[in-house]
Amino acid sequence: MAVRVYRLACRHHFSTAFFLLFFVGGLFVARLAAEDAATKRPTTVFAVALADDDKEGAKAAAAEARNKQKTTNNMKRIMLAMLNYHDTFNKLPAAYSGTAEKPLLSWRVALLPYLEQQALYNDFHRDEPWDSEYNKALVAKMPDVYRAPTSVLKDGRTVYVTPRGDNTSFPGGKNIGLAHITDGTSNTIAVVEVDDAAAVPWTKPDDWKFEPQDPKAELGGHYLGGFHAALCDGSVHFIADTIAEPTLTALFTRNGGEPVRLPD
């Protein structure tokens, strides 16, 4: 009898001890799990934040690529129109119609028939200046090809301009033939992209004044790292804003005789 009671007591203590061990062990495991979760959570949140940043960065990069392609396409269309104009008249359009004393309309108007805009071209009173009472109303009808995708301007101004200067491809009211671009059409800029502050009404006989002392002034402003330029051969390039000034100056002149190579 005594042996039996002893055995029962042992069983009771063993069960109690086992229960306590199981309970304490469970608490320990739960605590480890909580600590582990607390440790991992910030890492998980940080990883999610990084993933979101990566997505936003990818979206921004894709949008910039689309805008750059749109800009390139616009400038290629403009240059194709210029070269078709040259095929017709054996010269590029003058920077403006009229005279230096009384300039009338921009070269951008002269190109309209070559941009499938004959009806708009016919609307102009071409013997009147761009800001006459009649012609000024047509500024609002700027064709999309003259509208930069990144420009915030909505008032008929364009950032696609020619470099104006005595030795450029657009010296003013004088027409230049490709034969007079002795530096080579693939080495001479015809149209350049300027920032919004330098934009001009698309019909106005105004462009960007080329200054050899500061050839980068007002260029770009739409994309990080550079600007677009169309050459007289019809090609369009994104030129880094780190380009050496003597090289850029050589690209803007048509007959300087400088050896020049467009940077890759």
Side-chain angles (χ1 to χ4, degrees):
M1 182 68 179
V3 174
R4 187 177 178 184
V5 172
Y6 175 77
R7 287 178 178 174
L8 288 174
C10 287
R11 285 180 185 175
H12 174 73
H13 290 301
F14 178 78
S15 299
T16 302
F18 180 78
F19 173 78
L20 290 173
L21 180 62
F22 180 80
F23 179 74
V24 172
L27 290 176
F28 181 71
V29 170
R31 181 178 177 183
L32 287 178
E35 290 177 353
D36 185 57
T39 302
K40 289 182 177 179
R41 191 175 177 218
T43 303
T44 303
V45 171
F46 182 66
V48 170
L50 283 179
D52 289 342
D53 287 345
D54 288 344
K55 288 179 182 178
E56 290 304 315
K59 287 180 182 178
E64 178 162 308
R66 287 193 300 270
N67 288 334
K68 279 186 173 182
Q69 187 59 56
K70 175 66 174 174
T71 296
T72 297
N73 291 343
N74 284 346
M75 296 181 85
K76 282 185 175 181
R77 286 186 61 197
I78 291 169
M79 287 311 304
L80 179 61
M82 274 195 186
L83 294 175
N84 285 337
Y85 183 103
H86 188 280
D87 287 346
T88 302
F89 298 102
N90 201 33
K91 55 189 176 182
L92 296 172
Y96 52 80
S97 61
T99 64
E101 293 74 25
K102 189 180 179 180
L104 300 177
L105 295 165
S106 168
W107 58 271
R108 289 173 287 268
V109 175
L111 287 188
L112 289 175
Y114 304 91
L115 291 167
E116 301 179 351
Q117 296 285 339
Q118 184 69 52
L120 179 57
Y121 180 75
N122 293 340
D123 279 346
F124 280 89
H125 290 176
R126 294 188 295 280
D127 58 346
E128 297 178 7
W130 75 279
D131 56 352
S132 69
E133 184 177 356
Y134 179 84
N135 283 341
K136 198 166 186 178
L138 298 176
V139 173
K141 296 186 177 183
M142 183 172 75
D144 285 342
V145 70
Y146 293 138
R147 184 172 290 109
T150 55
S151 175
V152 300
L153 303 174
K154 307 294 182 184
D155 57 358
R157 282 184 289 168
T158 181
V159 301
Y160 302 140
V161 295
T162 60
R164 193 79 67 83
D166 290 341
N167 295 317
T168 69
S169 51
F170 286 86
K174 178 182 177 182
N175 298 81
I176 296 295
L178 295 181
H180 296 98
I181 302 176
T182 55
D183 284 350
T185 57
S186 61
N187 296 320
T188 307
I189 292 174
V191 178
V192 72
E193 174 188 47
V194 295
D195 61 37
D196 278 359
V200 297
W202 73 279
T203 61
K204 185 178 181 179
D206 194 11
D207 283 282
W208 174 75
K209 187 177 181 182
F210 165 62
E211 296 285 0
Q213 299 81 10
D214 190 10
K216 296 181 182 180
E218 301 177 318
L219 297 181
H222 299 278
Y223 305 101
L224 290 175
F227 58 92
H228 289 85
L231 304 184
C232 291
D233 64 355
S235 62
V236 177
H237 302 265
F238 186 75
I239 298 179
D241 52 19
T242 56
I243 187 172
E245 290 191 359
T247 301
L248 185 57
T249 296
L251 288 168
F252 278 127
T253 57
R254 70 178 188 273
N255 55 4
E258 314 96 331
V260 61
R261 178 178 178 275
L262 191 65
D264 295 329

